[in-house]
Amino acid sequence: GSIVSTGEIVGEVLLDGKPIPVRLSGAHVKNSVTEVRAHDLYNIVDLKGEYGGHILELRIDGKDLEAFTFTFG
């Protein structure tokens, strides 16, 4: 996946309506928060093989974020 921002974006990461647990957080998430500072690939969630139906939410303030691709697997 690729995320583009025209500035720094801080967002809350929710999994199934709750702050993402530390054990399922990707490398770019700390305390259910991710920071986007550049055009890059961001690892937001790592289910570690616990596959199933989930809802991933990124809550941000502002309008300067574009997400182009999400990669699962």
Side-chain angles (χ1 to χ4, degrees), residues 8-69:
E8 184 175 318
I9 299 290
V10 177
E12 180 182 16
V13 181
L14 303 176
L15 186 65
D16 299 326
K18 299 176 184 174
I20 191 167
V22 172
R23 67 182 182 82
L24 300 178
S25 293
H28 295 99
V29 176
K30 291 189 179 186
N31 299 318
S32 300
V33 173
T34 190
E35 295 181 16
V36 176
R37 295 184 177 175
H39 177 95
D40 206 346
L41 177 67
Y42 289 85
N43 185 303
I44 303 296
V45 62
D46 183 355
L47 295 177
K48 297 174 179 47
E50 296 181 27
Y51 302 111
H54 296 280
I55 297 173
L56 176 65
E57 287 181 68
L58 300 175
R59 291 189 179 170
I60 64 165
D61 288 327
K63 58 181 177 166
D64 298 325
L65 180 74
E66 296 179 35
F68 291 98
T69 307

